[in-house]
Amino acid sequence: MPKEINTKLSNDQKKVMFEEATEPPGSSKLNSEKREGFYHCANCDTKLFESNLKYESGSGWPSFFEALPAVFETKTDYLLGYARTEYHCKNCGAHHGHIFDDGPRPTGKRYCNNGICLIFKSK
Ligand SMILES: [Zn+2]
């Protein structure tokens, strides 16, 4: 699938979004973002998460227990030698993070998102 890469992305953003790299834990200032608003894809500006879906997981990455409807596609990767559920923006194909099953209610899911892939826009 050809991917449209936004020319405004930094090299670090490109590495995470199109080579499935992972940003260092604790590096994103979005970890502590608590304002109301939406988190958009840094590559294509699609709205991916609303602030009320975010929670403090303690993982060092911005974490959400749910995404907005039908914004992501998933695949299984084995980059660390075991199966993980990778998710990427349905619109542009950019990698965002992995989904784990240790999230809070009601979903039990944790969307572990690289902060560098997100742009926060407050309401
Ligand atoms: Zn996107």
Side-chain angles (χ1 to χ4, degrees), residues 17 41-46 48 89-94 96:
M17 299 182 93
C41 178
N43 188 54
C44 74
D45 203 35
T46 297
L48 301 174
C89 176
K90 199 171 178 179
N91 184 53
C92 72
H96 276 264

Side-chain angles (χ1 to χ4, degrees), residues 4-122:
E4 290 258 339
I5 300 181
N6 188 325
T7 54
K8 292 184 200 137
L9 293 183
S10 69
N11 284 336
D12 284 343
Q13 285 178 308
K14 284 182 203 162
K15 272 193 194 124
V16 173
M17 299 182 93
F18 296 101
E19 295 169 32
E20 297 193 22
T22 299
E23 72 186 9
S27 64
S28 174
K29 60 183 194 296
L30 292 181
N31 280 317
S32 56
E33 179 59 67
K34 303 250 193 294
R35 288 174 291 167
E36 284 188 23
F38 288 95
Y39 294 83
H40 296 240
C41 178
N43 188 54
C44 74
D45 203 35
T46 297
K47 272 185 196 173
L48 301 174
F49 300 102
E50 191 169 355
S51 51
N52 62 3
L53 305 172
K54 188 172 190 281
Y55 75 102
E56 190 51 65
S57 69
S59 67
W61 291 282
S63 301
F64 304 84
F65 59 83
E66 182 65 291
L68 294 174
V71 294
F72 289 125
E73 288 179 329
T74 62
K75 72 176 200 292
T76 301
D77 79 37
Y78 296 88
L79 295 176
L80 296 184
Y82 54 89
R84 292 185 302 169
T85 303
E86 181 274 352
Y87 64 93
H88 49 275
C89 176
K90 199 171 178 179
N91 184 53
C92 72
H95 168 71
H96 276 264
H98 291 87
I99 304 173
F100 299 94
D101 289 321
D102 57 10
R105 294 181 186 200
T107 62
K109 300 287 181 196
R110 170 166 59 98
Y111 286 76
C112 184
N113 211 104
N114 290 281
I116 203 170
C117 307
L118 296 171
I119 293 173
F120 175 73
K121 298 183 184 178
S122 62

